[in-house]
Amino acid sequence: MIECKNFNIELGQFELRDISFRVPHTKYYCLMGKTGCGKTTILESICGLRVIRGGKFFIDNVDITNLKPS
């Protein structure tokens, strides 16, 4: 399971606030939206490629928020 709890990030004037979702085992989801709405930013943040201002990321109930991308 992948879980995002109250994720916040700020990149210049662009900001995402209080983003929460859960993708259970055996399910898949897709991020859809217009160009510039934050889809790639969310994925890069989960992978540890972006520094977030708040919130937590979990994979199988393990907190991965501060792990290095490697």
Side-chain angles (χ1 to χ4, degrees):
M1 171 179 55
I2 299 171
E3 185 172 9
C4 173
K5 290 185 179 180
N6 301 316
F7 157 65
N8 296 286
I9 190 165
E10 195 173 300
L11 301 168
Q13 291 185 300
F14 181 78
E15 184 176 25
L16 294 172
R17 293 190 323 197
D18 300 323
I19 305 294
S20 296
F21 61 88
R22 178 183 292 168
V23 181
H25 286 288
T26 73
K27 300 290 181 184
Y28 66 91
Y29 288 68
C30 64
L31 291 173
M32 297 177 62
K34 295 180 182 180
T35 300
C37 70
K39 302 176 302 288
T40 301
T41 300
I42 291 171
L43 294 175
E44 290 173 343
S45 299
I46 293 170
C47 293
L49 300 174
R50 299 258 182 208
V51 177
I52 64 172
R53 291 184 59 206
K56 297 278 184 183
F57 299 116
F58 298 89
I59 294 181
D60 293 333
N61 295 317
V62 175
D63 186 348
I64 63 161
T65 308
N66 296 312
L67 294 181
K68 293 181 182 181
S70 60

